Amino acid sequence: MFPNLDKVEVKESVNYLPAGVHEVQVDEMKNSTQKADYTGTPYVEFKVSNSNGISYLRFNGVDNNTSEKAAEIRTKIFKEFLHSAGAKTFGNLPTACKEVIGGKINVCLAEREYWTNDKETGEPVVKTITEYKFANPSGKSIIWKDSFNKKLSAADSAAFQAAYDAHVNSNSGTTTDTMPF
């Protein structure tokens, strides 16, 4: 069934940085224009790492559907990141991004809960993502606060529970076990 299973090489698993404060090196950058057939909100993403793992810091850009206030906030957050990472040139986006590659920076990563529907089963599930909160230049500390993590709001929890209950009620009496063994 699985030929030469004993000879197949398996890559070592990747450790992702958890919520907290981390001094990291900026390893690489990519953006939405490099992704074939991408039509969503433009973004710039930096891969950062230290001896404990890696993280991908994604900064959403601005498109025709972005409000003026959201555009202002996104631009400010991105410039603060670039500034903390050592960029000096802000009139040219590619140059500013290249200036931070290889540099060190202190980043604050926080967990955010959200709910969605499982792609395969349609069942509502709560998920957690670790994402960029803010940064300081290397050498300038960040004080961690548990309040940086965001749990589901009361309204989102209620919406999740209602969706979950509806899903369970619509599937009661049916089995979802499709495993052949």
Side-chain angles (χ1 to χ4, degrees):
M1 181 183 277
F2 301 102
N4 302 316
L5 184 62
D6 59 333
K7 295 178 181 152
V8 173
E9 291 186 35
V10 179
K11 289 184 178 180
E12 200 171 310
S13 65
V14 174
N15 288 326
Y16 290 97
L17 296 173
V21 176
H22 306 276
E23 182 175 41
V24 295
Q25 177 176 305
V26 181
D27 296 328
E28 60 187 55
M29 184 273 304
K30 65 180 178 179
N31 64 55
S32 54
T33 62
Q34 297 170 304
K35 193 172 183 180
D37 300 324
Y38 181 77
T39 59
T41 303
Y43 66 85
V44 174
E45 183 176 78
F46 292 91
K47 177 184 174 189
V48 298
S49 67
N50 64 21
S51 61
N52 296 317
I54 65 170
S55 186
Y56 293 93
L57 313 180
R58 182 178 281 205
F59 298 90
N60 286 322
V62 176
D63 62 11
N64 293 336
N65 299 319
T66 307
S67 72
E68 191 174 312
K69 186 66 174 171
E72 180 183 319
I73 291 169
R74 290 178 187 178
T75 301
K76 181 178 180 185
I77 290 169
F78 188 58
K79 184 169 184 182
E80 286 174 347
F81 168 80
L82 290 172
H83 184 265
S84 292
K88 305 279 187 250
T89 307
F90 298 103
N92 182 295
L93 179 60
T95 301
C97 290
K98 287 177 186 174
E99 287 178 342
V100 304
I101 303 298
K104 297 244 184 211
I105 187 171
N106 284 328
V107 295
C108 179
L109 304 177
E111 290 183 345
R112 180 177 55 85
E113 280 186 343
Y114 66 98
W115 74 272
T116 187
N117 293 326
D118 183 273
K119 291 178 184 175
E120 293 183 19
T121 66
E123 178 181 351
V125 292
V126 174
K127 294 188 175 190
T128 303
I129 186 171
T130 302
E131 57 190 6
Y132 173 82
K133 187 84 173 156
F134 62 92
N136 275 342
S138 180
K140 186 176 179 187
S141 64
I142 296 173
I143 297 172
W144 171 257
K145 297 178 186 175
D146 284 331
S147 62
F148 292 153
N149 292 328
K150 298 296 178 203
K151 298 286 186 187
L152 283 180
S153 68
D156 286 339
S157 292
F160 165 76
Q161 192 61 52
Y164 182 81
D165 291 345
H167 177 79
V168 168
N169 288 336
S170 70
N171 290 317
S172 61
T174 62
T175 180
T176 58
D177 185 9
T178 59
M179 296 302 288
F181 46 87

